[in-house]
Amino acid sequence: MNRSKQNHLQGDEGSWTILKLLSWTSDYFASRSIENPRADAEILLGYTLGLRRIDLYVQYDKPLTQQELARFRGTIQRRVQREPVAYITGEKEFWSLELKVTPDVLIPRPETECLVETALAVISEKPEQGTRRILELGTGSGAIILALAAERPGDTLWATDQSEKALSIARGNAERHGVSRRITFCRGDWFAPIDRDIDGFDLILSNPPYIRRGDIPNLQPEISRFEPNAALDGGPGGIDSLEHIIAAAPFYLRTGGYLLLEIGHEQKFLLERVVEKMVCYGEPVFIKDYSGYDRVLKIKKK
């Protein structure tokens, strides 16, 4: 933050109320081309004061102490450097679950809820089947597998990730939401820690890296500078991880089992050709997200 702007946040004890601070911060974020400036201001001020966003307006005339103002100033400085709000607060909501996130994991995104919705729809096709065996590849913060654990208390759940730091975060989130005993977390690259000789899975799903390597520097700085590159880089064409998972999944799926993959919205035709080469799969189905983009690839093992 430049010095002139910093001086605007100086003042006597109690000279800055919540409402005044929200208005100033929103304007400042907007002047620095921060998307959703008001929402970011609310989240960061609520985080600083330990208040819910709605409570900021209930207590709109509450003055901040110098200590609170100094802490809030620190969050503003981080945000204008384009650090994501979720990394500043260490929290992100997904599927109504509050999750811990750090720069070791990808920040869960709303469009990924489409993957969870598709998984639940697949499961509901045969409600009489009973307990399912479900595997998530590249779990990161654990957002997807925790959402399924919340919705499917009777199923057997597995999750893999090559990063021990990511697995530590996922395990912590599972403990936080009381599902740690129901999920087996394994360290390894994709299927590497899973024994082929075990009974197959009814459902395998993943949100793998699917961004073309050359496109990463052109992404928003919140993504390109702060989120883990390994969770973004899909190789030169963007589908390296997708191709690997599609090729390997039949060895781990039961007959009639499904593979669900989050994909880039321009990858439909590339992936149709990949699936067509795999005689063990039926016709690929593409599910759109709420923005109308092809977001989930669904394929069934014959």
Side-chain angles (χ1 to χ4, degrees):
M1 185 186 303
N2 63 51
R3 188 174 299 277
S4 63
K5 284 291 185 181
Q6 274 189 312
N7 289 338
H8 284 296
L9 284 184
Q10 305 299 326
D12 297 330
E13 181 86 14
S15 63
W16 283 94
T17 64
I18 286 176
L19 191 60
K20 181 179 178 182
L21 203 51
L22 284 176
S23 178
W24 182 92
T25 307
S26 299
D27 290 344
Y28 180 57
F29 281 167
S31 75
R32 299 297 294 267
S33 301
I34 300 294
E35 290 187 9
N36 306 310
R38 185 72 176 196
D40 284 5
E42 292 171 352
I43 293 169
L44 291 175
L45 187 54
Y47 165 71
T48 299
L49 301 178
L51 297 174
R52 297 175 303 168
R53 288 170 68 181
I54 190 172
D55 291 331
L56 295 174
Y57 292 96
V58 174
Q59 304 180 38
Y60 68 94
D61 57 349
K62 177 183 181 295
L64 272 69
T65 66
Q66 288 296 332
Q67 291 80 10
E68 290 170 336
L69 193 60
R71 290 198 301 272
F72 184 55
R73 189 184 301 118
T75 69
I76 294 174
Q77 291 171 333
R78 293 172 67 181
R79 185 67 188 105
V80 296
Q81 294 300 317
R82 306 305 288 265
E83 183 174 355
V85 169
Y87 288 156
I88 298 173
T89 66
E91 298 276 338
K92 181 66 176 180
E93 183 179 301
F94 181 85
W95 204 261
S96 300
L97 301 170
E98 285 294 335
L99 303 174
K100 176 184 176 181
V101 294
T102 75
D104 294 308
V105 298
L106 197 70
I107 298 170
R109 287 161 167 75
E111 57 264 30
T112 300
E113 293 194 352
C114 183
L115 184 63
V116 177
E117 292 171 351
T118 304
L120 295 174
V122 164
I123 292 170
S124 68
E125 289 177 3
K126 294 183 178 180
E128 74 283 355
Q129 186 173 329
T131 300
R132 265 68 166 200
R133 289 172 53 82
I134 300 172
L135 169 64
E136 184 199 0
L137 303 170
T139 192
S141 66
I144 295 168
I145 203 68
L146 264 69
L148 292 177
E151 299 290 341
R152 300 289 305 175
D155 289 343
T156 303
L157 307 170
W158 298 60
T160 70
D161 202 288
Q162 65 177 346
S163 167
E164 185 56 47
K165 290 181 178 179
L167 283 177
S168 177
I169 293 167
R171 290 187 184 106
N173 283 326
E175 290 175 3
R176 177 178 183 176
H177 292 287
V179 296
S180 59
R181 294 184 178 181
R182 295 174 38 220
I183 305 173
T184 300
F185 291 100
C186 306
R187 184 182 180 186
D189 188 40
W190 305 128
F191 292 100
I194 305 299
D195 189 345
R196 285 193 185 187
D197 294 330
I198 66 172
D199 195 12
F201 293 94
D202 299 289
L203 177 64
I204 298 173
L205 70 170
S206 181
N207 175 19
Y210 55 74
I211 298 174
R212 289 191 295 265
R213 185 170 297 155
D215 291 343
I216 293 176
N218 301 321
L219 298 174
Q220 293 175 307
E222 285 88 346
I223 300 172
S224 62
R225 287 166 43 192
F226 290 94
E227 299 209 56
N229 187 76
L232 302 170
D233 188 349
I239 63 170
D240 284 6
S241 295
L242 290 161
E243 284 188 295
H244 173 78
I245 294 171
I246 290 169
F251 296 104
Y252 302 89
L253 278 171
R254 291 173 172 170
T255 299
Y258 281 92
L259 174 63
L260 306 178
L261 297 170
E262 181 169 330
I263 65 171
H265 67 271
E266 297 178 343
Q267 295 173 335
K268 175 179 178 180
F269 298 110
L270 284 173
L271 294 172
E272 279 180 330
R273 290 197 289 270
V274 172
V275 176
E276 285 172 0
K277 298 176 184 177
M278 302 286 295
V279 296
C280 58
Y281 290 124
E283 288 292 318
V285 176
F286 294 87
I287 292 92
K288 296 183 183 297
D289 61 20
Y290 290 113
S291 298
Y293 295 119
D294 292 310
R295 185 59 60 191
V296 175
L297 167 61
K298 179 175 75 170
I299 42 182
K300 185 177 183 179
K301 181 180 176 181
K302 293 180 182 177

